[in-house]
Amino acid sequence: TVASGVVVNLRGEGERTILRTTSATATLLTHHAWYSIIEGIRFTSSATRTAGHFVAIDGSDQTVQFCNFSGDFIGIKMSATNGQILQ
C-alpha cells in the first residue's frame, strides 16, 4: 500500500518489469498517492483470479499508462480525482 501524501513514479522497462500475485482474490497494488505515474509494468497472476484488482487507485492526479494486465479479475479500480488510464 502506498500512503497518501506520497508522490510515486513506478516505471518499468516494458514487459520486463513484472508484478505477480499468487492470490486469487488479493489486490496487488493499493495506491493512495498524489501526482503519480504507474507505467510500463506487466501485472499477472499465477492463480485464477476470482475477485480483487491488480491496481486500486484513489489518490489525486494519477496516471496508469503502457501497462499489461494478464489473468486479472478486475485490472484497475480507479476512483482518483483527475485520474487517467492511457493505452
Side-chain angles (χ1 to χ4, degrees):
T1 300
V2 180
S4 62
V6 176
V7 175
V8 173
N9 290 313
L10 181 59
R11 296 175 191 254
E13 289 291 325
E15 303 250 341
R16 293 182 289 175
T17 303
I18 300 170
L19 295 180
R20 178 176 292 132
T21 183
T22 58
S23 171
T25 60
T27 297
L28 188 58
L29 176 64
T30 302
H31 198 268
H32 304 291
W34 304 340
Y35 304 103
S36 299
I37 297 172
I38 299 171
E39 175 182 79
I41 306 292
R42 181 176 177 211
F43 295 88
T44 187
S45 176
S46 60
T48 300
R49 302 281 291 171
T50 57
H53 317 89
F54 278 150
V55 181
I57 299 172
D58 65 6
S60 176
D61 295 294
Q62 304 287 335
T63 300
V64 177
Q65 61 187 8
F66 312 122
C67 291
N68 179 289
F69 300 89
S70 176
D72 55 287
F73 184 76
I74 298 174
I76 302 171
K77 176 186 175 191
M78 182 177 283
S79 53
T81 305
N82 297 324
Q84 58 184 343
I85 301 170
L86 307 172
Q87 183 68 343

